[in-house]
Amino acid sequence: MKIVIRESADEASKIAAQHIVDKATPGMKLGVATGSSPLPLYKYLREARAEGTFSLRGSTAWALDEYVGIPADHEERYRNVLRRELVGDDRTGLFEEDLHTPDGLAENPHLAAAEYDREIGDGVDIQILGLGQNGHIGFNEPASSLSSRTHVDVLTKTTRQDNARFFDGNPDLVPSHCITQGLGTIMSAKDIIVVAFGETKARALKQLMEGGVSQRWPATVLQHHPSVTIFADKDAVSQLELLTYYRQISL
Ligand code: F6R
């Protein structure tokens, strides 16, 4: 596991964006997270697009997850969030039809999840992940199978509280179910980057890097992946036992 530690989320995100720009290949499959952590990274990808050093034209983007039952025109529907961030010539060059998201409005979300997993095939080229306070990646909450494929899951109370900020501060307005790529699906990505910022992520990041692999902290499964880079700010790394060493090897 590699780590990049910087003072601020913005500095770390700039390097994360450069990592993607450097590794991008024409027609690649890019796995994209929502939530607030990747937003500065997306801003830097848009800047790179404007400068002509990066383009998602002809590439495909694959969302990690989607809320079940959220109305098609809801601002917080992940498809709409990703469309705002990434789609269009003046954004990253990604075509709307090349943005793939699980169908949270399907009559049978379980079938939609299986179909999405089939479409992802043998995995994305680069997967961007955020990290839940409770150690989730995607919406694989504690007790998720470490080898699960895309499936319907139930959001924990913690996650609904965390995400209430996107729903008028009211956790009851956060959908209770989602379709999420499974941990096995995420692990099939060839290259993974994790963006984790702020003190609220410190405990989960400690588990991710230094804890035992366990479904109690789903992100710990990443310890088994050969190509993971963590991009973190100084607050997110504050609980790491080997912090002095990680600062030494930080890219
Ligand atoms: C989002 C997702 C979640 C978030 C995580 C962190 O697609 O799958 O795992 O990455 O909840 O969210 P933020 O970045 O808002 O703290």
Side-chain angles (χ1 to χ4, degrees):
M1 214 172 256
K2 297 196 180 81
I3 186 159
V4 172
I5 305 171
R6 289 296 181 275
E7 278 293 295
S8 68
D10 190 70
E11 286 168 275
S13 300
K14 194 170 183 179
I15 302 170
Q18 191 57 48
H19 175 101
I20 293 173
V21 169
D22 292 344
K23 293 211 168 189
T25 50
M28 73 166 168
K29 285 170 149 179
L30 179 65
V32 287
T34 48
S36 46
S37 308
L39 296 179
L41 158 60
Y42 294 151
K43 178 193 76 175
Y44 282 115
L45 289 181
R46 291 194 298 270
E47 280 185 19
R49 162 73 177 163
E51 287 160 6
T53 55
F54 175 74
S55 172
L56 285 178
R57 174 154 295 204
S59 294
T60 52
W62 298 81
L64 268 177
D65 36 29
E66 181 61 278
Y67 293 117
V68 168
I70 193 165
D73 60 353
H74 197 293
E75 268 196 16
E76 295 305 327
R77 183 186 183 212
Y78 283 164
R79 183 167 186 86
N80 296 338
V81 172
L82 291 167
R83 194 189 271 145
R84 288 197 298 274
E85 291 296 314
L86 299 173
V87 169
D89 251 356
D90 59 339
R91 308 251 112 198
T92 61
L94 185 73
F95 290 124
E96 165 89 38
E97 62 269 28
D98 290 330
L99 170 63
H100 299 267
T101 52
D103 184 0
L105 289 170
E107 203 172 305
N108 185 333
H110 300 278
L111 286 181
E115 175 59 24
Y116 190 68
D117 205 82
R118 250 191 313 279
E119 284 171 8
I120 289 178
D122 62 356
V124 299
D125 295 295
I126 305 175
Q127 176 66 57
I128 300 166
L129 296 176
L131 178 63
Q133 279 193 55
N134 63 0
H136 73 212
I137 50 176
F139 278 136
N140 293 278
E141 302 283 35
S144 296
S145 150
L146 298 182
S147 57
S148 58
R149 305 301 304 187
T150 305
H151 61 282
V152 176
D153 216 326
V154 181
L155 300 185
T156 60
K157 205 173 159 196
T158 317
T159 299
R160 292 178 80 196
Q161 267 156 2
D162 285 348
N163 288 6
R165 66 192 193 281
F166 300 117
F167 292 83
D168 297 332
N170 183 353
D172 294 336
L173 296 180
V174 180
S176 56
H177 288 69
C178 63
I179 297 176
T180 180
Q181 284 190 34
L183 293 171
T185 318
I186 292 171
M187 288 290 282
S188 67
K190 290 160 195 69
D191 188 56
I192 296 183
I193 77 171
V194 181
V195 280
F197 307 124
E199 218 181 326
T200 56
K201 303 298 173 70
R203 189 165 171 232
L205 188 59
K206 180 176 171 51
Q207 292 297 328
L208 194 175
M209 292 195 68
E210 298 178 335
V213 175
S214 149
Q215 58 182 17
R216 168 64 186 86
W217 293 92
T220 57
V221 72
L222 297 176
Q223 293 177 21
H224 283 299
H225 194 283
S227 183
V228 176
T229 312
I230 314 278
F231 295 84
D233 67 356
K234 64 173 189 336
D235 296 327
V237 297
S238 58
Q239 290 187 23
L240 294 174
E241 188 187 340
L242 301 184
L243 181 56
T244 311
Y245 174 64
Y246 301 140
R247 284 197 185 279
Q248 244 176 293
I249 60 167
S250 167
L251 301 173

